Amino acid sequence: MGIPTVAVYSDADRDALHVEMADQSYRLGPALAADSYLSIGAILEAAQKSRSTLIHPGYGFLAERAHFATAVEEAGFTFVGPPPAAIERMGDKAAARRIADAAGVPIVPGTREPVDVAMAKKEAPRIGYPLLVKAAFGGGGKGMHVVRDADRLEESLNRASREAKSYFGRSEVFLERYVDQARHVEAQIVADTKGNVVFLGERDCSVQRRHQKLIEETPSPLLDAGIRERFADAATSLAREAGYVNAGTVECVLDEDGSFYFLEMNTRIQVEHPVTEMVTGLDLVALQIQVALGGSLAGLEVMPNGHAIECRINAEDPGRNFLPGPGRITRYEEPSGPFVRVDSGVGARRDIPGDYDSLFAKVIVSGTDRDQARRRMLRALDEFVVEGVPTTIPVHRWILESKAFKTSTHTTTWLERALVDAHLPAQADLEPASPQPRSTRARDILVEVDGRRVPIRIFDERRVAAPKAPSSHAAHHREHVHGEIRAPMQGTIVKVLVEKGQSIQAGDVVCILEAMKMENHIASTREGEITELPIRAGQVVELGALLAVID
């Protein structure tokens, strides 16, 4: 489109790929999201310094914050997204359900407003178990927990609330009926300021773990022409009722009978938007910018062709219960060839920080039909080489070869049950990269001038390479040596559930560790008495840090 780009970054992302690729790059602040990516003041200051005119919110952090969109517009910039009022209406899950009601879109039974513990205990019997506790102002599986009986309601409510506060800055949660045998199907729409609302097709995102999508595809193998037409009508009617403008996604659950129910609307571009681009030939971000600049969608032709699949590649080890493994990538080779696309934020000798989500790449392929796309994805994953950090590539291969995926009989809960019998081996402990030798050749370094990232080339034999990040699993072999419980990852202690001198059993939870925005329950592997407990709530611990000693 001929538009120069300006990247923003935190200290953790100083050397990230997006920072290098942009025409200009500006520092926002330290790694802590609250002081960088969630700092509206810092973002607007960077926009002013760089003389930007448009601000695109991406698909995380402030992407669905109405007050951010308002601040952008009040500061004189164009927000590449929905108007603040639409974000407010649809970002509030309870308000969105009321709008869906008014638009005639079926909704899953649940509470109309956020609930506290007392209200949840009152409403849960009416809704019925199992139910879902969901963040009222978020998405992406964060702040979401299934509750199957009343005994676990309060615990799940508090946990979801803490996660929602950490990731979205809002702690409100609400309740919703949980459909066990469900498929997750979503409609991609885009709307302009002139009343045009266009349905760009649906995506099936039913391969999930802990409510996080792993694989997405389009079209959904379960929708016939009749269901698709009703689905498109429901999504576009909802957008009109909400006064929606720009790109958005209407998420629904599809039951065994082919009936769909509204879940929520994501008021942003989504991680999985490339599969829609692959089958339609449309650039969704370009459409977003076109609409933001006042352009019309009249005459936009949508002619889907073939089938597309996306695999999200995370720095996690499926053989260790998806343990996150931030660290330095020592070797990186992307797949290529016809009908293969890779959207990545990394490369060789770059770091995946432990401060944010562990997603680092997306592999997208297309084919004339679903099975050709599936086989093409298997070939692409075989070509994808990533060393230095664990990846989810092995579990993607396993899923694509499974009978359930091949026959499209999987549901949103299938994967977690199936993985029990998958026996995926843990990935080998990873060694840190060897130091680079000194060299008198020209080297590029980066300096920051008034917050702006500026590349400088120097010729200095005294300069040595930056130290390599430690292995993401350097401490795994000593996690529980001599009764020691050590941190399996870098993170923050949210809650300590035991006391010094207390007797515990194997499997008892010692503490809750938040890492990459998800809470992890750290359990004891043996029975005994806690003789050392050098941790406290709010403490930041490094990989391998001592959490407790059990004798």
Side-chain angles (χ1 to χ4, degrees):
M1 300 181 79
I3 302 174
T5 54
V6 179
V8 291
Y9 62 94
S10 73
D11 288 346
D13 284 337
R14 179 172 279 111
D15 297 319
L17 189 60
H18 80 281
V19 176
E20 182 178 295
M21 292 180 70
D23 296 291
Q24 298 181 49
S25 297
Y26 283 81
R27 175 182 181 270
L28 293 179
L32 185 67
D35 298 329
S36 53
Y37 295 118
L38 290 173
S39 174
I40 294 175
I43 291 170
L44 295 180
E45 183 180 358
Q48 290 161 353
K49 286 181 179 179
S50 61
R51 298 184 179 180
S52 297
T53 54
L54 298 90
I55 295 180
H56 192 296
Y59 47 56
F61 293 116
L62 292 171
E64 295 183 278
R65 302 287 182 86
H67 63 283
F68 176 55
T70 299
V72 167
E73 293 180 354
E74 289 178 348
F77 302 100
T78 298
F79 183 72
V80 186
I87 298 176
E88 187 73 42
R89 285 192 291 266
M90 303 312 294
D92 180 341
K93 302 297 188 293
R97 291 163 65 88
R98 292 194 295 270
I99 292 172
D101 254 345
V105 182
I107 61 174
V108 178
T111 58
R112 293 290 191 269
E113 304 292 341
V115 296
D116 55 18
V117 173
M119 181 62 72
K121 289 181 176 179
K122 180 180 178 182
E123 291 290 327
R126 176 185 66 82
I127 299 169
Y129 291 95
L131 55 79
L132 199 62
V133 181
K134 290 180 72 172
F137 295 91
K142 306 293 194 301
M144 187 182 298
H145 292 278
V146 177
V147 183
R148 297 194 176 277
D149 56 67
D151 293 341
R152 296 189 176 275
L153 179 61
E154 184 171 350
E155 174 194 352
S156 297
L157 201 78
N158 292 333
R159 184 176 178 184
S161 183
R162 286 194 302 268
E163 289 180 355
K165 177 67 175 177
S166 172
Y167 202 81
F168 307 112
R170 298 283 296 267
S171 61
E172 296 96 320
V173 296
F174 70 101
L175 305 181
E176 182 178 275
R177 171 78 58 78
Y178 184 65
V179 182
D180 254 325
Q181 298 298 315
R183 292 290 285 257
H184 181 115
V185 182
E186 59 191 32
Q188 176 69 62
I189 63 99
V190 61
D192 62 22
T193 57
K194 307 174 191 326
N196 299 301
V197 183
V198 183
F199 172 71
L200 301 182
E202 82 283 350
R203 296 185 289 259
D204 192 304
C205 309
S206 301
V207 179
Q208 300 181 10
R209 178 184 173 273
R210 294 178 66 178
H211 311 294
Q212 295 273 12
K213 303 167 186 174
L214 273 72
I215 297 178
E216 301 98 354
E217 59 182 311
T218 187
S220 170
L222 297 187
L223 265 61
D224 59 27
I227 298 176
R228 182 170 292 111
E229 183 177 356
R230 295 198 303 274
F231 192 54
D233 287 344
T236 52
S237 296
L238 180 70
R240 290 190 178 93
E241 183 70 26
Y244 196 84
V245 174
N246 216 274
T249 306
V250 180
E251 299 202 351
C252 294
V253 61
L254 187 74
D255 67 17
E256 296 171 282
D257 300 326
S259 300
F260 58 86
Y261 301 93
F262 173 75
L263 290 177
E264 62 187 20
M265 184 173 190
N266 289 304
T267 56
R268 54 176 167 81
I269 197 79
Q270 285 196 280
V271 175
E272 59 271 22
H273 76 274
V275 292
T276 299
E277 295 182 335
M278 289 287 269
V279 299
T280 62
L282 298 170
D283 183 331
L284 268 63
V285 177
L287 286 177
Q288 283 191 290
I289 296 171
Q290 176 185 325
V291 167
L293 294 175
S296 172
L297 296 173
L300 177 66
E301 292 188 11
V302 182
M303 296 184 290
N305 181 34
H307 199 99
I309 298 175
E310 173 182 293
C311 288
R312 300 190 187 196
I313 313 301
N314 288 59
E316 299 173 357
D317 189 345
R320 286 188 171 99
N321 195 30
F322 291 81
L323 184 73
R328 175 155 295 186
I329 296 174
T330 57
R331 185 182 174 198
Y332 185 82
E333 298 175 10
E334 293 181 350
S336 59
F339 313 104
V340 176
R341 164 180 168 177
V342 179
D343 289 7
S344 172
V346 299
R349 296 176 299 282
R350 293 185 186 273
D351 293 330
I352 298 177
D355 305 275
Y356 315 116
D357 192 281
S358 62
L359 176 72
F360 68 86
K362 301 179 289 184
V363 182
I364 310 101
V365 304
S366 64
T368 55
D369 57 33
R370 186 174 189 263
D371 193 58
Q372 185 184 63
R374 184 188 67 84
R375 288 184 282 111
R376 188 165 279 156
M377 177 62 80
L378 284 167
R379 190 262 297 167
L381 293 175
D382 285 342
E383 289 183 3
F384 204 172
V385 178
V386 183
E387 295 179 0
V389 296
T391 78
T392 51
I393 291 174
V395 79
H396 286 298
R397 287 199 196 100
W398 182 87
I399 293 168
L400 291 164
E401 292 279 27
S402 70
K403 180 180 178 182
F405 188 85
K406 288 179 180 178
T407 58
S408 194
T409 54
H410 60 287
T411 66
T412 55
T413 58
W414 163 77
L415 181 59
E416 292 189 66
R417 295 193 304 267
L419 284 175
V420 174
D421 301 318
H423 305 299
L424 295 169
Q427 293 170 43
D429 284 344
L430 305 164
E431 297 298 327
S434 57
Q436 297 177 352
R438 294 170 182 257
S439 172
T440 56
R441 291 179 299 173
R443 290 181 181 271
D444 294 329
I445 65 170
L446 299 170
V447 297
E448 286 172 356
V449 181
D450 193 25
R452 180 182 175 186
R453 182 181 184 272
V454 181
I456 302 291
R457 176 161 293 180
I458 64 170
F459 298 82
D460 189 347
E461 63 184 17
R462 294 169 298 174
R463 182 185 182 274
V464 295
K468 301 298 183 292
S471 162
S472 58
H473 291 299
H476 282 325
H477 66 282
R478 54 188 177 89
E479 284 179 25
H480 301 292
V481 177
H482 305 305
E484 294 180 349
I485 298 178
R486 294 185 174 271
M489 65 199 81
Q490 176 187 344
T492 303
I493 302 295
V494 175
K495 192 174 184 180
V496 181
L497 300 174
V498 295
E499 298 177 353
K500 190 174 179 179
Q502 178 180 333
S503 295
I504 63 172
Q505 301 294 317
D508 288 348
V509 178
V510 173
C511 63
I512 299 174
L513 178 68
E514 181 191 75
M516 291 185 166
K517 301 301 178 184
M518 295 296 287
E519 290 189 359
N520 301 272
H521 288 212
I522 309 302
S524 172
T525 58
R526 55 174 289 182
E527 62 178 299
E529 180 182 318
I530 296 177
T531 55
E532 291 185 43
L533 192 66
I535 56 172
R536 66 183 186 281
Q539 179 181 346
V540 177
V541 296
E542 299 297 322
L543 170 70
L546 181 67
L547 304 180
V549 175
I550 303 173
D551 289 330

